[in-house]
Amino acid sequence: MLQKKNTRKLLTKSMSRFIETIRLEEGVTSNLGYHEERMNRSVAEVLQVNLKFDLENTLSSLSLPRKGIYKIRLVYDTEIRSMEVTPYNKRKVRQLKIVYDNAISYGFKFENRGELENLFSQREDCDDIIIIKNYQVTDASYANLIFLKDNRWFTPKTFLLNGTTRKRLLERKIIIEEKITINDLQRYEKVKLINDMLQVDGHEIDVSQIVG
């Protein structure tokens, strides 16, 4: 019985695929070191394989556009399975819907986003969501969150996915990590969604546009 359980566990791991999204602006990619670190960690911890991805070398095989902003989407497991480069069209986010899920887990950037997509479908007339887990603020459907208070930006300690932009901004002390519960939201003035495509200079949303 134990052998069958272990076999199923290994099979599940072998079928896991991840995605990585990289910003390409005017022919220049951003933060490749942070992306490589996450990719290496994902494969090591989930698939138990030690690899060292070399994105600069990988992307050099592509004919990348030199003008405009593009999204590079990689699908990978123990190797890169596909690469896609598409023009980036920024989606306008004006309102955020609070949704609840006390069991959700998305510590790795899996290609399968079923749980997140299910929560996103609950947004009603809003543009995106704020996911609450055990009363704690976590993330939006595809981005980390930062909140403005007293001219400083704060990000929840209880994130789902530690995004590359979030990590970089914390290291540079541009944002501050703190505990944020659903009852704390009224203490803040603005909220932003951040990821590698949005960066930190994105659209600010007034907290009054967070719908319960």
Side-chain angles (χ1 to χ4, degrees), residues 43-114:
V43 171
E45 295 189 20
V46 178
L47 303 180
Q48 298 180 357
V49 177
N50 291 320
L51 294 175
K52 296 293 182 184
F53 286 98
D54 183 350
L55 290 179
E56 186 172 356
N57 182 59
T58 299
L59 296 177
S60 68
S61 66
L62 300 177
S63 179
L64 297 175
R66 296 293 179 182
K67 297 292 183 181
I69 302 175
Y70 289 79
K71 179 170 69 173
I72 303 173
R73 184 179 188 268
L74 308 179
V75 177
Y76 69 98
D77 43 35
T78 55
E79 62 183 89
I80 294 176
R81 301 295 179 177
S82 67
M83 295 186 286
E84 182 182 35
V85 182
T86 56
Y88 177 58
N89 297 309
K90 187 174 181 180
R91 183 161 61 87
K92 292 184 179 179
V93 178
R94 299 182 180 88
Q95 279 193 323
L96 297 167
K97 171 72 174 177
I98 291 176
V99 298
Y100 300 85
D101 190 331
N102 291 339
I104 188 168
S105 176
Y106 193 70
F108 299 94
K109 198 168 182 177
F110 289 109
E111 183 183 22
N112 183 345
R113 289 171 42 88

Side-chain angles (χ1 to χ4, degrees), residues 23 69-71 86-94 142 192-195 197-204:
R23 181 184 177 98
I69 302 175
Y70 289 79
K71 179 170 69 173
T86 56
Y88 177 58
N89 297 309
K90 187 174 181 180
R91 183 161 61 87
K92 292 184 179 179
V93 178
R94 299 182 180 88
Y142 68 100
K192 281 186 187 182
L193 280 64
I194 59 167
N195 59 28
M197 297 304 302
L198 294 171
Q199 304 292 301
V200 73
D201 55 354
H203 176 61
E204 297 181 5

Side-chain angles (χ1 to χ4, degrees), residues 148-150 178-180 183-189:
L148 181 66
K149 179 179 64 177
D150 300 327
E178 73 173 8
K179 179 181 177 181
I180 304 176
N183 294 325
D184 294 327
L185 290 175
Q186 60 188 352
R187 297 168 43 214
Y188 299 91
E189 305 153 35

